Amino acid sequence: MCAAVGALEDDPLFNAGRGAALTLQGTVELDASIMTGDGQAGAVAVVDRARSPIRVARHVMEATPHVLLASPDDALVEAAGVELMDPDYFVTEARRRQLERILADEEAPLTHGTVGAVARDSAGRIVAGMSTGGISKQLRGRIGDTPIIGAGTWARDGVVGISCTGDGEAFIQGAVAHDVFARMAYGGQSVAEAASSTFAAECDTRGSTGGLIAATGDGSVLLCHNSAMMLAAFSQDGETVTWV
Ligand code: ASP
């Protein structure tokens, strides 16, 4: 899971790691989280030097007594085995131009996006994780749903692993990832029923858009979104299926 998310963090085309969306001040502030289905979790927020925030989140989970660290210090990033970069490394020319367009035109749509992955092994163990630069023009210090366990990410062995993308404030207000899990675990809904009920109740009612990927304890996978588009891929036994 971390290898998949880490590759997307390195790819400047995605809103995570290098190529992330820029804050109002033109800087990058990255968020990431990981949760394993046995109930462990780690997350980081407002990261500006770690090349791979998802790997720092994993380190928080595995090597500290904490769940969420904001502005993790350089020593912790190095202890995680993650390269420290100059903050300029994350800022691409395309994102600079995009921010200029957004600042010049009040009506210009804000850009956002998150990269995420959910994995289930043959023993049914599940892990979910995600990484993002947030929303373009966001205020300094703004933290979205990505590092908030239960909002953007959730995993429970035997039930489901979920990784979300979309309007982070609504995903926090609606505890979206946990709400999908709860509808399945306590309400007996299928993952598809649960995800569409959660989107209707928590996102549509707020006028918010987004999507999620999920893998269930019994091996099914789901892509659900109320946004115009969402890209995802699914791989099992060496065969890969791409959803657009
Ligand atoms: N959920 C992310 C955030 O609010 C952005 C996105 O996924 O589109 O930071």
Side-chain angles (χ1 to χ4, degrees):
M1 191 287 293
C2 284
V5 172
L8 298 171
E9 289 175 330
D10 279 350
D11 188 326
L13 292 178
F14 294 93
N15 179 17
R18 180 164 149 73
L22 303 182
T23 66
L24 180 61
Q25 289 82 5
T27 58
V28 161
E29 295 186 347
L30 308 167
D31 300 337
S33 69
I34 180 172
M35 184 170 193
T36 54
D38 58 357
Q40 298 181 73
V44 285
V46 201
V47 171
D48 65 356
R49 293 204 60 203
R51 176 168 172 173
S52 178
I54 188 69
R55 291 189 170 91
V56 185
R58 180 177 179 172
H59 183 78
V60 171
M61 176 177 77
E62 291 177 340
T64 81
H66 308 305
V67 170
L68 171 61
L69 289 182
S71 304
D73 67 31
D74 292 354
L76 184 111
V77 173
E78 283 179 315
V82 173
E83 215 176 330
L84 281 168
M85 311 304 286
D86 187 284
D88 281 348
Y89 158 82
F90 300 100
V91 180
T92 62
E93 193 44 42
R95 289 294 187 187
R96 267 204 197 98
R97 286 200 303 271
Q98 183 182 65
L99 182 63
E100 274 169 23
R101 282 198 301 275
I102 289 170
L103 293 177
D105 177 3
E106 286 274 303
E107 304 290 305
L110 301 180
T111 59
H112 51 93
T114 294
V115 304
V118 182
R120 176 190 173 276
D121 69 13
S122 55
R125 290 176 302 193
I126 295 172
V127 59
M130 55 206 297
S131 183
T132 189
I135 300 176
S136 53
K137 206 178 91 172
Q138 68 185 8
L139 299 182
R140 190 170 281 169
R142 179 257 180 195
I143 297 171
D145 60 314
T146 299
I148 308 297
I149 302 299
T153 189
W154 186 260
R156 179 66 56 86
D157 288 343
V159 184
V160 70
I162 295 166
S163 178
C164 300
T165 179
D167 299 327
E169 281 69 10
F171 281 67
I172 295 171
Q173 288 160 336
V176 165
H178 188 272
D179 193 73
V180 174
F181 156 77
R183 287 173 190 273
M184 295 175 68
Y186 314 133
Q189 293 188 357
S190 71
V191 66
E193 285 168 342
S196 56
S197 307
T198 298
F199 270 89
E202 304 298 341
C203 299
D204 297 346
T205 51
R206 293 185 166 89
S208 301
T209 60
L212 61 82
I213 51 171
T216 65
D218 60 10
S220 66
V221 294
L222 178 80
L223 166 66
C224 175
H225 58 102
N226 71 349
S227 53
M229 167 178 110
M230 182 163 164
L231 306 176
F234 160 59
S235 176
Q236 184 168 26
D237 300 330
E239 204 182 311
T240 300
V241 178
T242 306
W243 288 306
V244 179

